Amino acid sequence: MRVKGGSTTRQRRKVTKKRVEGAWGTKHTSYKIARQTLLRSSEYAYRDRKARKRDFRKLWNTRINAAVRALGYNYSTFINALSKAKIAINRKMLSELAIHHQEEFKMLVEKVMKK
């Protein structure tokens, strides 16, 4: 007996179309183009998860540099002095200190740069 797979195929295609629901034009209606859109968007998502980490690190470095320059030093000498003083604090936390707790950041910079 012949088994028709129409309902299974339709369900599978429906899932794919549901995942690209917000796409513009034919990209969310035509299955073939919807599948291509989904593949491409997955590539972008994977790539940009990596890029986001780079972007945030650049942002933190810029914030730290601005805060340290206001105190008369520069970023590279400050980071070097931190490593020589064996103070292990990541750039995200340094950035947060520089923005929200200026006095503590200033004390840290002065302590590190005197050594």
Side-chain angles (χ1 to χ4, degrees):
M1 186 167 122
R2 178 170 172 249
V3 177
K4 294 166 67 176
S7 60
T8 308
T9 304
R10 189 165 47 254
Q11 285 174 343
R12 188 180 64 242
R13 290 178 178 177
K14 199 172 179 181
V15 168
T16 301
K17 285 183 179 182
K18 185 72 175 167
R19 289 183 64 193
V20 291
E21 199 171 36
W24 186 82
T26 314
K27 291 180 180 181
H28 76 280
T29 55
S30 168
Y31 172 70
K32 182 177 178 180
I33 298 172
R35 196 177 71 229
Q36 292 170 356
T37 302
L38 193 60
L39 287 172
R40 189 168 293 123
S41 67
S42 298
E43 289 172 7
Y44 291 151
Y46 178 80
R47 179 196 69 191
D48 292 338
R49 279 194 297 274
K50 311 297 177 199
R52 185 186 314 134
K53 293 168 181 59
R54 291 193 298 267
D55 290 344
F56 270 112
R57 187 172 169 109
K58 277 195 277 189
L59 175 67
W60 299 329
N61 290 348
T62 305
R63 287 176 175 174
I64 294 166
N65 189 27
V68 170
R69 281 184 187 272
L71 300 173
Y73 304 103
N74 68 8
Y75 175 81
S76 62
T77 55
F78 173 64
I79 294 296
N80 186 34
L82 267 180
S83 63
K84 284 183 179 175
K86 293 187 175 33
I87 297 176
I89 181 169
N90 64 20
R91 286 158 174 78
K92 180 179 180 180
M93 290 301 111
L94 282 171
S95 171
E96 290 296 315
L97 276 175
I99 294 170
H100 301 296
H101 305 283
Q102 286 96 2
E103 291 303 317
E104 288 84 352
F105 183 75
K106 185 177 180 180
M107 287 174 18
L108 175 69
V109 171
E110 295 299 329
K111 178 183 175 185
V112 168
M113 297 309 277
K114 282 183 183 175
K115 289 187 177 182

